[in-house]
Amino acid sequence: MATRAVALPPPQERLTPLTWAQRNLFDGWLNAALTLGVAAVLGWFGAIVWRWALSAHWEIVTHNLRLWIVGLLPLAEIWRAWWAGGLMVAAAALTIVGARAGVRPRVLFGLWGGTILAVAWLFSPIRLDQIGGLYLTLLLAVVSISASFPIGVVMGMGRTSSLPVVRLFSTAYIEGIRGIPLITVLLWFSIFVSLLSGETMPRVARAMIGMTVFASAYVGEIMRAGIQSVGRGQVEAARAVGLSGWQTMAFIVLPQAFKNMIPALVGQFISLFKDTSLTVIIGLSDLLGIGRSLLALTEYLHDVREVYVFALVVFFIFSYVMSAGSRALERKLGLGER
Amino acid sequence: MEQATPRDGQPMIVLEDVHKWFGRLHVLRGITLAIRAGEVIVVAGPSGSGKSTMIRCINRLEAHNKGRIVVDGIELTDDLRNIDAVRSEVGMVFQSFNLFPHLTALQNISLAPTQVRKWPHARAERIARELLARVGIPEKAGAYPAQLSGGQQQRVAIARALAMQPKIMLFDEPTSALDPEMIQEVLDVMKGLAKEMGMTMVVVTHEMGFAREVADRMVFMDEGVIIEEGTPEHFFTNPKEDRTKLFLSKILHQ
């Protein structure tokens, strides 16, 4: 009997929350006991945190919002900070809308170029050491991320170079820096750089250099892995159609390498963002530094928990946004590949 | 001794006593071969016999260690200009296609002409569309490699190699990674190249039907040397060497 095979729709099963819970949480007395036990612990813990949050002295946050955000920036200059922040938020919003609407990348790059120039102009009369709080945290992160990326790319390419001198230099840099903790790098730059520059270089700039030097080594290593994740066959095919070594790098290897690098790279940048709080050690007043200064005031002496919970929430929000952005980017770039 | 029936012309590729080592492994042990313009050579032999290495030496994806290789009058040396010059005259098709996964079929084909030949985009794109039509998949211009079947990918790879308007095409086991039902569509494209365009072709393959129909000359290699060469007729009906007979009996009666 010859019957034709018919394409059937996949079976569909809709579970009510109740049957889902029965099947997954309460199937058998052991699972039911575990579910109830875990729920009890979570509820107990949540109740404690909730009660504390309601009775906590959030005045340390709400009364000092300006300090938390911009630090000890002179009041006369503070409008610059608000304008710069507003511009950045507007540019970010336009980017999201533009990307959804399929605007050309060139336009978005132009938008960001203009925004960055405007922000730089707004901040130009302000000394770096006057900036603090969340703005300093973001400034340190943005500067060290954007400076370490190109340096890291060059280091990573150098590490895979066929020229021994280039390879040796890159490897020495990467391995050397990776063997030193970030705190050591920061201290080293804040103390020893003054030997070369005198006291003229602001401490914030020293921190930026230290973090960039540190992060570049890690970006370089991610870059090396990214380059090596692109198959040998790709390079051979590119060379076989006559592309030069540089053209092969630019059009074939790097685009594929960057795509593979995104998760590791974003992980590195998130950790760099969080590591900005280590600059407290060299006396900068970033978000955490402001918190510690506030704790030194008599009226806030006992608000330690409030300060660190607030810092935790702020760091989490920014890190989570970066992480969500990277996932969106991966999905977008994954189109057409698999 | 004139065994082959060349169509016309001067030697396009000359290999003289070519040796190649991978570490201590002696892969090519003195290959001498002259290929005329318009000739179709099929290279056969057991795996590990050095067939792939030989054709990879012709566009210097591998550097030979001893002997001379002259392609279209240019000797392959360490001089990078010579290598680039030769590579833009020689197209290559790989066993595993090696299409660029981040580019569409059209971009895969037009990349090298725009970057190396400096053609304007419009011209490169027009030629790319013509080539896609030639290999029978004009509708796949906007598709990414992962959206194409193996046979379609290999045909895009052939079009990509042709886009540089090469004088020579090298094929390194072009159908070995394909599902059986897709082999014929790739072989048909290759036959078209040989018969309609008169392309000089060096093909490493186990497709003996293709060899019988298209090859001007068969080359049989084993252990890094050429054991026997001759017309397909000679090769299939009256091989001289025992190793050739053994290989043929294995490959034809499997």
Side-chain angles (χ1 to χ4, degrees):
Chain A
M1 193 174 73
T3 47
R4 283 196 57 183
V6 183
L8 297 172
Q12 279 189 344
E13 193 180 23
R14 279 275 171 79
L15 288 181
T16 64
L18 196 68
T19 44
W20 180 88
Q22 258 172 5
R23 266 191 216 177
N24 293 291
L25 302 177
F26 296 100
D27 54 332
W29 64 269
L30 181 62
N31 270 351
L34 280 174
T35 303
L36 292 175
V38 170
V41 171
L42 285 178
W44 171 73
F45 182 71
I48 290 178
V49 172
W50 182 244
R51 226 175 309 144
W52 171 80
L54 288 182
S55 63
H57 301 127
W58 293 116
E59 295 81 27
I60 191 170
V61 175
T62 51
H63 290 180
N64 301 293
L65 265 183
R66 182 172 58 81
L67 283 177
W68 282 103
I69 296 176
V70 292
L72 293 168
L73 193 64
L75 280 174
E77 308 286 2
I78 215 156
W79 61 274
R80 298 175 183 277
W82 302 145
W83 270 101
L87 277 177
M88 295 293 259
V89 171
L94 278 175
T95 306
I96 294 172
V97 173
R100 288 262 166 79
V103 177
R104 291 181 164 225
R106 214 178 299 165
V107 178
L108 296 179
F109 279 119
L111 173 72
W112 278 102
T115 309
I116 289 169
L117 281 181
V119 169
W121 177 79
L122 277 169
F123 274 110
S124 52
I126 300 176
R127 280 189 296 111
L128 274 179
D129 277 346
Q130 293 177 312
I131 304 172
L134 179 62
Y135 266 53
L136 179 59
T137 296
L138 293 176
L139 183 70
L140 284 171
V142 169
V143 168
S144 51
I145 284 171
S146 26
S148 65
F149 183 66
I151 300 176
V153 167
V154 170
M155 286 297 159
M157 283 167 63
R159 214 176 165 180
T160 58
S161 168
S162 54
L163 304 171
V165 179
V166 177
R167 199 172 53 235
L168 194 75
F169 176 78
S170 307
T171 309
Y173 178 85
I174 290 173
E175 294 300 345
I177 295 294
R178 290 211 307 169
I180 308 174
L182 176 56
I183 290 197
T184 316
V185 176
L186 287 175
L187 286 173
W188 196 89
F189 267 89
S190 80
I191 296 163
F192 283 83
V193 167
S194 57
L195 278 183
L196 301 175
S197 65
E199 290 297 329
T200 54
M201 185 183 274
R203 273 185 309 190
V204 172
R206 290 181 218 164
M208 284 172 177
I209 296 174
M211 295 189 71
T212 302
V213 164
F214 181 78
S216 300
Y218 287 84
V219 174
E221 198 58 5
I222 293 171
M223 183 73 199
R224 179 189 61 78
I227 289 176
Q228 287 173 349
S229 75
V230 179
R232 212 172 107 87
Q234 291 288 307
V235 176
E236 288 183 351
R239 301 311 299 271
V241 287
L243 295 178
S244 71
W246 285 108
Q247 288 171 328
T248 302
M249 221 8 144
F251 297 111
I252 306 304
V253 178
L254 290 186
Q256 298 184 56
F258 281 138
K259 189 176 159 276
N260 296 343
M261 282 160 56
I262 290 174
L265 211 49
V266 172
Q268 181 60 43
F269 288 156
I270 288 175
S271 100
L272 188 61
F273 170 70
K274 293 182 295 186
D275 285 347
T276 54
S277 53
L278 290 175
T279 54
V280 167
I281 300 285
I282 57 171
L284 297 195
S285 46
D286 73 323
L287 191 73
L288 210 59
I290 291 286
R292 286 165 57 112
S293 316
L294 285 173
L295 283 178
L297 303 177
T298 10
E299 49 178 321
Y300 298 127
L301 270 181
H302 300 293
D303 296 344
V304 184
R305 287 187 187 125
E306 286 82 348
V307 163
Y308 289 113
V309 166
F310 179 65
L312 179 147
V313 170
V314 173
F315 274 108
F316 174 79
I317 290 173
F318 280 91
S319 304
Y320 186 77
V321 166
M322 285 163 84
S323 155
S326 104
R327 257 175 291 145
L329 193 63
E330 273 176 70
R331 264 200 308 278
K332 203 169 154 69
L333 294 180
L335 268 184
E337 269 243 17
R338 237 176 292 279
Chain B
M1 188 173 65
E2 192 63 67
Q3 288 182 321
T5 52
R7 289 167 190 179
D8 60 338
Q10 298 298 306
M12 195 67 150
I13 306 169
V14 178
L15 292 90
E16 275 176 23
D17 191 32
V18 172
H19 289 257
K20 168 76 188 167
W21 284 265
F22 287 126
R24 298 183 58 190
L25 195 65
H26 198 175
V27 200
L28 297 182
R29 306 178 181 180
I31 301 280
T32 298
L33 184 66
I35 300 168
R36 277 168 288 268
E39 210 176 1
V40 177
I41 305 276
V42 167
V43 184
S47 85
S49 59
K51 322 177 287 277
S52 289
T53 308
M54 181 187 78
I55 72 166
R56 288 161 62 85
C57 281
I58 294 176
N59 68 350
R60 211 175 171 86
L61 285 181
E62 307 288 354
H64 59 286
N65 304 118
K66 200 177 149 214
R68 256 162 56 89
I69 299 180
V70 183
V71 178
D72 195 24
I74 305 166
E75 175 160 8
L76 284 175
T77 58
D78 287 329
D79 190 336
L80 290 173
R81 279 166 307 171
N82 284 357
I83 296 172
D84 286 341
V86 164
R87 280 186 182 146
S88 57
E89 302 298 333
V90 181
M92 180 145 188
V93 176
F94 300 86
Q95 179 176 355
S96 47
F97 327 139
N98 295 353
L99 287 182
F100 308 132
H102 59 303
L103 302 179
T104 63
L106 196 75
Q107 291 166 336
N108 263 279
I109 301 170
S110 60
L111 178 68
T114 47
Q115 295 303 327
V116 182
R117 295 258 193 256
K118 307 291 178 199
W119 291 356
H121 277 276
R123 181 178 172 203
E125 196 167 300
R126 198 185 69 238
I127 304 259
R129 287 187 190 280
E130 283 172 20
L131 285 167
L132 277 174
R134 167 182 281 277
V135 298
I137 40 173
E139 74 282 5
K140 296 294 185 189
Y144 285 91
Q147 297 164 328
L148 300 173
S149 74
Q152 290 170 335
Q153 288 191 51
Q154 192 61 300
R155 287 189 278 164
V156 172
I158 294 174
R160 175 177 68 180
L162 290 175
M164 289 294 284
Q165 303 182 321
K167 296 179 179 168
I168 300 164
M169 286 284 282
L170 307 174
F171 292 85
D172 188 3
E173 305 207 26
T175 57
S176 300
L178 293 176
D179 289 336
E181 77 268 26
M182 293 170 182
I183 290 176
Q184 200 54 45
E185 65 190 49
V186 171
L187 292 181
D188 286 343
V189 170
M190 292 167 62
K191 280 178 204 165
L193 281 184
K195 290 181 171 165
E196 289 154 28
M197 292 180 72
M199 180 70 74
T200 310
M201 289 166 55
V202 185
V203 185
V204 173
T205 186
H206 297 299
E207 293 296 328
M208 289 301 129
F210 171 82
R212 209 188 287 259
E213 188 179 343
V214 182
D216 294 310
R217 191 152 44 121
M218 296 285 303
V219 170
F220 177 71
M221 285 179 69
D222 195 12
E223 296 180 330
V225 289
I226 294 177
I227 303 286
E228 190 165 1
E229 55 178 294
T231 61
E233 205 176 274
H234 156 85
F235 192 77
F236 287 111
T237 54
N238 190 22
K240 277 185 300 207
E241 303 289 330
D242 288 340
R243 272 190 280 184
T244 318
K245 288 176 195 163
L246 184 68
F247 175 76
L248 282 173
S249 72
K250 275 186 193 156
I251 202 162
L252 294 176
H253 303 114
Q254 53 189 341

